[in-house]
Amino acid sequence: MNLIAKVPPDTQDDLEFYGETVSSRLLLGTALYPSPQVMADAVKASGCQIVIVSLRRESARGKIGERFLELINSLGVHVLPNTAGCRSAKEAVTTAQMARELFGSAWIKLEVIANDDTLQPDLFGLVEAAEVLNKDGFKVFPYTTEDLGAAERLVGAGCRVLMPWGAPIGTGRGLANPYALKTMRNYFPDIPLVVDAGIGAPSHASQAMEMGYDAVLLNTAVAKAADPVQMATAFAMAIDAGHMSRRSGLMETRDMAAPSTPVAGTPFFDLGASSKT
């Protein structure tokens, strides 16, 4: 049985990206699934309202065509095209322009990769491309690191959302630098922040939401699961749980134990005195 995660209306608030409102805080990639139908079923089960499509990757595999676009459109979700695989600002800008023409959307997930082993973002190229694309009317979702200097420049370039990595893409390591992610959250209290990449388990996603992040973007952890549909459901539930717990007010951590049962009114017996009678 496929379950669709649901949160009571009074405990879930909506999220806004560039004037578009969504209720789901899960952004889901469309690559690596066993089949397009499994991908579609996973998207439906997750309840997500934004899916990511890599123009370069899908074109290389021959998937960007009328049938694939029809399947994506049938899901009734927002499409966030991706410049995955681009190694320079110029290449990313050209890919973004192609994506806008193909999908008819100004939304773009901007990736400029610096290193083949880690797929770490090229922060210099990222800022350069973001400046060009924002001036050209794009709504840029930049895939970045936790670097606050680069983040400030991206915001200054016109980006109204930041997407720092949790760990390198596809590693499943979770939040490799939680301290830096917390710092970024505190530094940009009014900017939507999305943890993007490296998420391997629902608990990782819940941790990000408990830190106060607004959403989580993932792909491999769902697409490569033994049951992608059930895993998509698990992630949706974990993200909702993490967000609800953050809003509810997490308890503060302590160095020493604190009794949950009050001491006042507890009977005390003098065992020494009773043994003399």
Side-chain angles (χ1 to χ4, degrees):
M1 179 176 63
N2 294 330
L3 303 175
I4 298 179
K6 294 183 179 180
V7 177
D10 61 341
T11 60
Q12 182 173 351
D13 58 331
D14 291 337
L15 174 62
E16 184 176 302
F17 292 125
Y18 291 107
E20 294 286 345
T21 300
V22 294
S23 57
S24 171
R25 293 173 180 270
L26 170 60
L27 287 68
L28 199 57
T30 58
L32 305 177
Y33 290 86
S35 71
Q37 188 58 54
V38 171
M39 178 273 293
D41 291 342
V43 170
K44 293 175 184 177
S46 73
C48 81
Q49 295 172 303
I50 300 176
V51 298
I52 293 79
V53 177
S54 171
L55 181 64
R56 290 170 59 91
R57 181 186 299 117
E58 302 302 340
S59 295
R61 296 179 181 179
K63 292 183 180 179
I64 285 292
E66 187 174 341
R67 294 182 63 185
F68 182 73
L69 292 177
E70 286 179 355
L71 178 60
I72 294 294
N73 290 333
S74 71
L75 298 174
V77 295
H78 296 280
V79 174
L80 178 58
N82 189 3
T83 65
C86 293
R87 297 301 198 274
S88 70
K90 182 178 181 180
E91 188 179 14
V93 168
T94 300
T95 302
Q97 292 169 340
M98 292 172 59
R100 180 168 61 180
E101 183 175 343
L102 179 62
F103 293 102
S105 172
W107 281 19
I108 192 72
K109 180 190 172 187
L110 179 61
E111 288 188 28
V112 183
I113 300 302
N115 182 274
D116 289 337
D117 291 326
T118 64
L119 299 180
Q120 178 175 332
D122 176 353
L123 299 181
F124 301 101
L126 184 67
V127 171
E128 180 183 347
E131 290 175 343
V132 173
L133 291 173
N134 277 301
K135 289 179 181 178
D136 194 24
F138 281 88
K139 311 300 183 183
V140 180
F141 294 68
Y143 165 61
T144 184
T145 67
E146 317 93 327
D147 187 282
L148 295 183
E152 282 189 306
R153 292 196 60 184
L154 288 168
V155 173
C159 297
R160 294 296 173 260
V161 57
L162 297 171
M163 298 173 54
W165 65 352
I169 294 172
T171 61
R173 298 181 65 86
L175 307 185
N177 195 344
Y179 171 78
L181 289 171
K182 288 180 181 178
T183 301
M184 177 174 275
R185 175 70 284 178
N186 293 332
Y187 199 83
F188 295 100
D190 301 322
I191 296 290
L193 299 181
V194 182
V195 170
D196 177 9
I199 298 297
S203 57
H204 299 157
S206 185
Q207 181 186 5
M209 300 305 294
E210 288 175 358
M211 285 183 182
Y213 274 74
D214 297 286
V216 172
L217 190 158
L218 57 99
N219 188 169
T220 308
V222 169
K224 288 296 187 179
D227 188 334
V229 175
Q230 290 292 347
M231 186 61 78
T233 304
F235 268 105
M237 290 179 171
I239 288 169
D240 286 339
H243 180 59
M244 290 168 63
S245 65
R246 172 75 177 191
R247 291 185 63 206
S248 300
L250 293 164
M251 66 173 288
E252 295 182 3
T253 58
R254 297 171 54 95
D255 293 326
M256 303 295 289
S260 57
T261 302
V263 176
T266 302
F268 292 90
F269 300 95
D270 187 344
L271 297 180
S274 62
S275 63
K276 296 177 182 180
T277 60

